[in-house]
Amino acid sequence: MKLDATILRYITKDEIRVLTAIEMGMKNHEVVPVQLIESIAKLKRGGTFKIIQGLLKYKLIQHLNKQYSGYSLTYQGYDTLAIHTFMKRGHIREIGSMIGTGKESDIYLCVDNDGNEIVLKLARLGRISFRQVKNKRDYLNGRSRHNWLYLSRLGAIKEFTFMEALHGAGLPVPSPISQNRHAILMSLLPATTLLNVKRMERPQKVLNEAIDIAIRIARLGLVHSDFNQFNILASEDEKIYVIDFPQMVSRNHKNANEFWMRDLECLNSYFSRRFEVECAEFPKLEDIEIERNLDEEIKASGYVKQGLNKKEIEDLEQLNLVNLKEDANLEENEEEEGEEEENEEGLENNEENKENSEESLSEEEEEESKPEEDEN
Ligand code: ADP
Ligand code: MG
């Protein structure tokens, strides 16, 4: 799933409006019928259908014929909306090469307006285990919001919020720049993953430093839960950094001890195999004093600052991203089958739909939508 930067260069205002209309429709519909797209997009000159054909051609949307015919955003379409917003905010000038791809994200180098390289992370939650995600629908209040769009967005918000909090607490993490939809922008670390480091001058010092970072995170009331050679980076002069926060848990999480032990034991055995050093003994989680409860602070104010409502915060809490990661490992190649149980409810739910539309129109796409309407 490659990003096509030329699409972003040439996309028109009307195309963005139609994409945005489909995104809004998807809040209550798995597929969005043309009439609804038209009524949300309200193009001054009409021509919605023609624009839909263009968006289809560029694979920004897909046509689905389920209980009824309609359209839904593809990842490519959702990416386009997020990146378009970053460009409007003046954060990105150019999209560069892909530097990483995981089960739940794609990572791109970008160039900002000052010519600096920065990193774009696009969440791809549910790419692999959509069925598992669907099974978690009960957690998500049984609503139609269990789709990947929603989950990826929650994942990105969680990651960005934690990055801000850790960065603010002085941990060596990327500097958070901006977040929109399922995407986050951060600084490019001058470092490479431990996995790519073949030789080290002072491996024992680096291992001790990594364990020290885990301890500092624990003092903030958190466990990283994916603290390993893939998510720890080292610079040329062997300074280390940590990335990748969607699966972080509070020390109150029922499996926090288990995750803590797994993190440190795996890291220790990695260092022992590759660099022939190890840490004889690392502290138990319960022996580390909690100095601040970052998780509580984020729940109490961080998420609200990001614009999440109460329901979304609940969903984010209940959607256990650690489990999701583990499910993803089990369910390779699981594709979305697309069950239709909620479509009827969605179609009849016009009131709520209207509400959502207005809410969203007044958010990000205001600049696109307002001026044209005001002209008349
Ligand atoms: P995933 O959730 O898919 O594991 P990560 O956040 O771990 O995604 O990023 C995947 C890879 O991208 C990392 O292993 C690293 O090589 C690279 N990467 C991610 N963020 C940065 C960054 N800020 N600076 C440098 N490299 C990064
Ligand atoms: Mg990672």
Side-chain angles (χ1 to χ4, degrees), residues 234-268:
S235 66
E236 289 258 321
D237 57 358
E238 302 187 350
K239 176 173 170 24
I240 59 169
Y241 301 89
V242 56
I243 58 167
D244 204 359
F245 317 111
Q247 71 298 316
M248 281 187 90
V249 297
S250 154
R251 283 178 58 175
N252 296 325
H253 188 284
K254 63 181 187 324
N255 301 116
N257 271 312
E258 200 183 302
F259 296 148
W260 169 261
M261 288 311 283
R262 189 183 63 187
D263 275 358
L264 293 197
E265 275 169 4
C266 291
L267 188 67
N268 207 23

Side-chain angles (χ1 to χ4, degrees), residues 101-103 105 107 121 159 193 224 226 228-233 243-247 325:
T101 179
K103 282 194 167 66
S105 72
I107 316 278
K121 178 168 179 174
E159 172 141 41
T193 58
H224 185 286
D226 205 9
N228 52 39
Q229 62 272 28
F230 303 97
N231 295 323
I232 300 172
L233 283 67
I243 58 167
D244 204 359
F245 317 111
Q247 71 298 316
K325 265 209 164 153

Side-chain angles (χ1 to χ4, degrees), residues 113-168:
N113 282 350
D114 300 324
N116 302 312
E117 284 188 306
I118 55 173
V119 172
L120 168 70
K121 178 168 179 174
L122 299 160
R124 302 281 191 230
L125 245 97
R127 170 153 73 185
I128 287 158
S129 75
F130 209 98
R131 182 166 298 161
Q132 290 290 336
V133 177
K134 274 173 177 279
N135 289 343
K136 292 181 186 295
R137 55 184 306 162
D138 292 345
Y139 292 157
L140 297 173
N141 303 319
R143 294 173 308 155
S144 58
R145 296 180 150 212
H146 60 287
N147 65 39
W148 56 263
L149 245 148
Y150 181 59
L151 298 180
S152 292
R153 191 180 129 244
L154 290 186
I157 291 172
K158 176 168 180 189
E159 172 141 41
F160 190 76
T161 312
F162 276 77
M163 193 184 292
E164 277 191 324
L166 291 172
H167 189 258

Side-chain angles (χ1 to χ4, degrees), residues 20 23-24 27 85 88-89 153 180-181 306-309 312 355-370:
T20 309
E23 176 187 38
M24 288 173 193
K27 287 184 177 175
T85 301
K88 251 174 31 187
R89 289 181 188 167
R153 191 180 129 244
N180 180 257
R181 297 180 169 86
Q306 295 295 328
L308 285 191
N309 62 36
E312 288 168 326
E355 252 175 54
N356 281 335
S357 304
E358 279 160 17
E359 170 200 319
S360 302
L361 259 175
S362 64
E363 282 169 14
E364 287 304 330
E365 297 308 324
E366 207 173 27
E367 283 166 57
E368 262 82 33
S369 56
K370 278 275 171 57

